[in-house]
Amino acid sequence: MTDESLKVDDSNESKKKLPKPTQERLIKLLSVLDQLEKENQKLITPKTTVTSAIIEHRTGWSRDTVRRDISLLDLQCGSSVGYNIAELKKAIQQKFNIGERIHNCCIVGLGRLGSALLYFEGFKETPFVMRAGFDSNVNRTEVLDSPFPLYPLSKMESVVKNEKIDFAVLAVPEGDAVETAERLAKCGIKGIVNYTMAVLNLPPYIRVENISIVDALQRVSVHVE
Amino acid sequence: MTDESLKVDDSNESKKKLPKPTQERLIKLLSVLDQLEKENQKLITPKTTVTSAIIEHRTGWSRDTVRRDISLLDLQCGSSVGYNIAELKKAIQQKFNIGERIHNCCIVGLGRLGSALLYFEGFKETPFVMRAGFDSNVNRTEVLDSPFPLYPLSKMESVVKNEKIDFAVLAVPEGDAVETAERLAKCGIKGIVNYTMAVLNLPPYIRVENISIVDALQRVSVHVE
């Protein structure tokens, strides 16, 4: 897999061939640039630049890594005077089609965690828009307050189709996760953010990101004696 | 980094040299085995085995990958008749020191997301024990119901030290994340699970796992046209 992901391809499909760590750093770099802009609102102009040294300081990635990652983008400006922040953001967004179109999303499972996300404000400046929430407990979908419609789980297939929902956030009880994910896959969902501990084995064209807190703590603890 | 991580080392330090994808799969494999056991409680005996084909079916990892990962463990039994589930679990736990000792954890930031984790039941069969929660809003720490003590943020340094807390779950507002993480680092915390979008640049001996929902959605969406 490592060998495969290191292949370089200059065709239009090239973004799919970037090494995965580079992809993840570049996507994260967008957040870093956003954060820099927020902190320095009064200082930032369309000409403001950022150096690889500043990025190194903010992220811990070496400046060589930063320069190499950025060199894989279609960016005109050189790095000797730093990268123009606005251009750099645009180049990353173009590389990954970020922000070019809205992605409709849904939350499946409205227990403590799922319902905590109903009023999450972090989606505001992102291309992700929550369109629907689902729960098998009709009481919950009727009682919970939400800025977007909530439905019983039995309506999932029709709502996902009608609302053209691309991505689902899965926050159901662990025992229901595999079956619910398979139902989502059959609805034509393109990706799942999995808050549960369950291992989802879906067709390869459905991308899954596992972000259960226990998995994260286990990864964090692996290097600790 | 890829070259480095592929080096094999037979010393006691060998677990640190496993390739990162192998580490992540083996840790995830523990969850898969737990899930298998839960689903088949009546069928499982101390002699029950699992084949690489079953693991492939559950996870989507090829059976060659599964066999190669497992071959890096100190496991006696061969794979021709499958792996003994109990022995396989033990070997993974030993490799990563999982379950050998309790890890004390805390939640920092008790807004919607942080407080949703207060009664999270998924820690039950893990080595992670929540010992404390912190919030800068004293009203919250006094009013919220919790199975473990909640403190004002000003007490974080002393409580982390006295309770010997290893890991923190960071769920503060994004604007407070960098400063709070640096305070945690100075307290001697060993790892942070970061629910915020903020980029944390901490000393290399502090492990950070970023699991913000926006980052996860962005990673999921990268491969989607």
Side-chain angles (χ1 to χ4, degrees):
Chain A
M1 208 194 90
T2 309
D3 291 344
E4 187 62 30
S5 64
L6 284 170
K7 275 184 200 164
V8 173
D9 184 339
D10 283 331
S11 73
N12 282 336
E13 298 286 309
S14 61
K15 73 171 177 301
K16 291 181 183 166
K17 302 292 166 62
L18 288 182
K20 204 182 169 209
T22 293
Q23 288 185 29
E24 291 184 352
R25 278 191 301 268
L26 285 172
I27 290 169
K28 196 72 204 168
L29 182 53
L30 255 190
S31 310
V32 177
L33 298 173
D34 283 338
Q35 214 171 307
L36 270 175
E37 284 186 329
K38 273 185 213 159
E39 290 169 17
N40 302 287
Q41 267 171 3
K42 288 179 190 158
L43 300 171
I44 297 253
T45 75
K47 288 191 173 171
T48 307
T49 58
V50 61
T51 62
S52 52
I54 292 176
I55 299 173
E56 178 186 74
H57 176 71
R58 299 287 293 226
T59 61
W61 311 323
S62 82
R63 58 196 84 180
D64 285 345
T65 301
V66 171
R67 282 197 211 106
R68 203 191 52 227
D69 286 347
I70 294 178
S71 75
L72 299 173
L73 296 169
D74 311 310
L75 197 65
Q76 301 304 321
C77 66
S79 70
S80 60
V81 292
Y83 305 97
N84 178 290
I85 293 181
E87 283 174 24
L88 183 51
K89 281 178 67 173
K90 205 174 153 195
I92 299 173
Q93 284 165 336
Q94 281 179 342
K95 194 76 174 178
F96 297 109
N97 285 338
I98 293 174
E100 281 188 9
R101 71 178 195 83
I102 295 296
H103 291 296
N104 296 324
C105 304
C106 68
I107 302 177
V108 186
L110 300 170
R112 285 176 198 278
L113 190 61
S115 61
L117 296 169
L118 290 177
Y119 278 94
F120 178 66
E121 297 201 339
F123 295 126
K124 266 181 189 163
E125 288 164 27
T126 75
F128 306 107
V129 182
M130 280 293 159
R131 296 291 185 197
F134 303 97
D135 199 288
S136 57
N137 182 336
V138 184
N139 212 16
R140 262 185 206 156
T141 57
E142 281 175 0
V143 168
L144 277 172
D145 200 26
S146 167
F148 47 83
L150 307 181
Y151 306 89
L153 203 60
S154 56
K155 299 244 169 110
M156 191 167 73
E157 279 76 3
S158 59
V159 174
V160 165
K161 208 173 167 185
N162 294 339
E163 297 283 335
K164 297 188 175 60
I165 289 175
D166 290 328
F167 305 125
V169 175
L170 191 64
V172 297
E174 193 183 330
D176 300 336
V178 170
E179 192 199 327
T180 311
E182 283 168 2
R183 276 179 65 185
L184 281 165
K186 281 182 195 152
C187 297
I189 215 96
K190 291 169 182 162
I192 293 179
V193 171
N194 179 20
Y195 268 105
T196 80
M197 281 281 290
V199 180
L200 310 179
N201 179 22
L202 300 173
Y205 50 84
I206 300 179
R207 232 177 124 92
V208 175
E209 281 286 326
N210 296 305
I211 59 170
S212 102
I213 186 169
V214 175
D215 281 345
L217 280 168
Q218 266 170 353
R219 287 195 299 265
V220 157
S221 72
V222 161
H223 286 271
V224 176
E225 285 305 280
Chain B
M1 208 197 92
T2 310
D3 291 344
E4 187 61 31
S5 64
L6 283 170
K7 275 184 200 164
V8 173
D9 183 341
D10 282 331
S11 74
N12 281 336
E13 299 286 309
S14 60
K15 73 171 177 303
K16 292 181 182 163
K17 303 291 167 60
L18 287 182
K20 203 181 169 211
T22 293
Q23 288 186 29
E24 291 185 352
R25 279 192 300 268
L26 285 172
I27 290 170
K28 195 73 204 167
L29 182 53
L30 256 189
S31 308
V32 177
L33 298 173
D34 283 337
Q35 212 170 307
L36 269 175
E37 284 186 331
K38 272 186 214 159
E39 289 170 16
N40 301 289
Q41 267 171 3
K42 288 178 190 158
L43 299 172
I44 298 254
T45 75
K47 288 192 175 173
T48 306
T49 58
V50 62
T51 61
S52 51
I54 293 176
I55 299 173
E56 178 185 72
H57 177 71
R58 299 287 292 227
T59 62
W61 311 323
S62 81
R63 58 195 85 181
D64 285 344
T65 300
V66 172
R67 283 197 210 107
R68 201 190 55 225
D69 286 347
I70 294 177
S71 74
L72 299 172
L73 297 169
D74 311 311
L75 197 65
Q76 301 304 322
C77 65
S79 71
S80 60
V81 292
Y83 306 98
N84 177 290
I85 293 181
E87 284 175 23
L88 182 53
K89 281 178 67 174
K90 205 173 155 196
I92 299 173
Q93 285 164 335
Q94 281 179 341
K95 194 78 176 176
F96 297 109
N97 284 339
I98 293 173
E100 281 188 9
R101 73 177 195 83
I102 295 295
H103 291 296
N104 297 324
C105 304
C106 68
I107 302 177
V108 186
L110 301 171
R112 285 175 199 279
L113 190 60
S115 61
L117 295 169
L118 290 177
Y119 278 94
F120 178 65
E121 297 202 339
F123 295 126
K124 266 180 190 163
E125 287 163 29
T126 74
F128 306 106
V129 182
M130 280 293 159
R131 297 292 186 196
F134 303 97
D135 200 289
S136 57
N137 182 336
V138 185
N139 212 16
R140 261 185 207 156
T141 57
E142 281 175 0
V143 168
L144 277 172
D145 200 25
S146 166
F148 47 85
L150 307 182
Y151 306 90
L153 202 61
S154 57
K155 299 242 170 111
M156 191 166 74
E157 279 77 4
S158 59
V159 174
V160 165
K161 208 175 167 184
N162 293 339
E163 297 283 337
K164 297 186 173 61
I165 289 176
D166 290 329
F167 305 125
V169 175
L170 191 65
V172 296
E174 193 184 330
D176 300 336
V178 169
E179 193 199 326
T180 311
E182 283 168 2
R183 276 179 65 186
L184 281 164
K186 281 182 195 154
C187 297
I189 215 94
K190 292 170 182 162
I192 293 179
V193 172
N194 179 20
Y195 268 105
T196 81
M197 280 281 290
V199 179
L200 310 179
N201 178 22
L202 300 174
Y205 50 85
I206 299 179
R207 233 177 123 94
V208 175
E209 282 286 325
N210 296 306
I211 59 170
S212 103
I213 186 170
V214 175
D215 281 344
L217 280 167
Q218 265 169 355
R219 287 195 299 265
V220 157
S221 71
V222 160
H223 285 270
V224 175
E225 286 306 281

